[in-house]
Amino acid sequence: RTASQLLLKGLKFTTMTSKPASKGLASVMKQAAAKKAVALTEDELLAKGNISPDDVLSLSKPCHGYLCKTTDNTYGLDFVAFKLRDIDTNSVLFEVAKPADVPYEPPTDKDDDSGRFVRYEFPPEFLKLTTVGATVTFRVGETPLKNLRMIERHFFGDRLLKSFDFDFGFVIPGSTNTCEHIYELPTLNDKEILEMVNASYETRSDSFYFVDGKLIMHNRADYNYNN
């Protein structure tokens, strides 16, 4: 992974690209652990309790529920804006943001799951893109976030299309951060594209957020490419 950072007056902007890991000892150990991970089902992980990054990397199917509670986010991690753009043309594909004056509301046991599920509508041409940038703006509470990591798994049906893995590193307490994740999309042939266009919402993703190896947030999405 590569990351270039600019830190100014509490606002951090980071560009991250998910790429094959370097050959350093830590990277080799991480890859070896992932290869040895035993594939577990969603139900087995829920019963296991303490879910690790290697556990979610071993999932062979998209989740139908959530692997953690909303209240596991004890760090005040709150996403306030999201923009998706085509890197080649710099055209904006999707953009949404919370109003600036909306305060953060800590999660409670009474929360439903509507706030952590998104349904996307894209035209068929989206599947021919090669690289997209996803810019997220998020704020955090007064507790430092050590080793913030996001693992995102994309599936069509029960087939894994691609897995993305981004390390944010340390996040300053009380900061607002803007990061652009660069996604190198899987190459699809015409038959695969047609199948995905004709199967609305059968393309799904799971986004897992870890702090120091502990799962604190799980978001899900599905996609329609026949808009």
Side-chain angles (χ1 to χ4, degrees):
R1 302 176 189 88
T2 61
S4 58
Q5 297 187 344
L6 176 65
L7 186 61
L8 182 63
K9 294 183 180 179
L11 179 65
K12 183 174 71 175
F13 183 85
T14 306
T15 300
M16 298 180 177
T17 306
S18 180
K19 290 184 177 180
S22 65
K23 297 301 180 180
L25 178 60
S27 298
V28 171
M29 292 176 66
K30 180 185 286 188
Q31 291 176 7
K35 289 180 180 178
K36 292 181 180 179
V38 177
L40 298 173
T41 66
E42 180 179 350
D43 288 339
E44 287 172 331
L45 287 185
L46 287 170
K48 180 176 182 286
N50 186 20
I51 298 170
S52 70
D54 286 341
D55 288 334
V56 302
L57 286 169
S58 75
L59 285 168
S60 60
K61 298 179 181 180
C63 293
H64 294 283
Y66 296 90
L67 298 184
C68 65
K69 300 177 181 178
T70 58
T71 52
D72 288 331
N73 175 20
T74 59
Y75 296 88
L77 178 60
D78 183 31
F79 293 94
V80 296
F82 176 76
K83 180 178 73 174
L84 193 67
R85 69 184 179 102
D86 176 10
I87 293 294
D88 293 332
T89 64
N90 199 33
S91 58
V92 175
L93 305 169
F94 179 85
E95 188 168 16
V96 65
K98 291 182 179 179
D101 58 349
V102 174
Y104 172 68
E105 295 185 7
T108 71
D109 291 329
K110 296 181 180 180
D111 292 340
D112 60 26
D113 292 324
S114 60
R116 48 182 179 166
F117 177 81
V118 179
R119 171 160 285 181
Y120 291 101
E121 306 278 348
F122 294 116
E125 292 76 19
F126 183 94
L127 295 171
K128 297 182 179 180
L129 299 179
T130 58
T131 311
V132 298
T135 299
V136 294
T137 299
F138 65 94
R139 55 193 176 188
V140 297
E142 297 306 317
T143 303
L145 275 71
K146 298 179 180 179
N147 301 316
L148 177 61
R149 179 180 177 185
M150 180 187 76
I151 297 173
E152 191 166 290
R153 310 268 286 173
H154 288 253
F155 295 86
F156 176 58
D158 290 337
R159 178 167 66 92
L160 179 66
L161 294 173
K162 196 160 185 177
S163 186
F164 300 93
D165 195 337
F166 298 97
D167 287 320
F168 295 79
F170 179 82
V171 181
I172 299 173
S175 62
T176 297
N177 308 269
T178 299
C179 301
E180 182 174 52
H181 297 151
I182 306 300
Y183 290 81
E184 297 174 358
L185 301 181
T187 301
L188 303 170
N189 59 41
D190 290 341
K191 180 181 178 182
E192 290 171 325
I193 291 175
L194 184 60
E195 288 176 347
M196 293 173 70
V197 168
N198 289 335
S200 299
Y201 311 116
E202 286 300 309
T203 304
R204 302 184 178 95
S205 68
D206 291 280
S207 299
F208 305 97
Y209 297 86
F210 293 86
V211 173
D212 232 5
K214 179 184 178 182
L215 181 64
I216 68 159
M217 184 181 289
H218 176 193
N219 294 332
R220 295 170 46 222
D222 63 15
Y223 306 80
N224 173 32
Y225 298 106
N226 193 20
N227 186 23

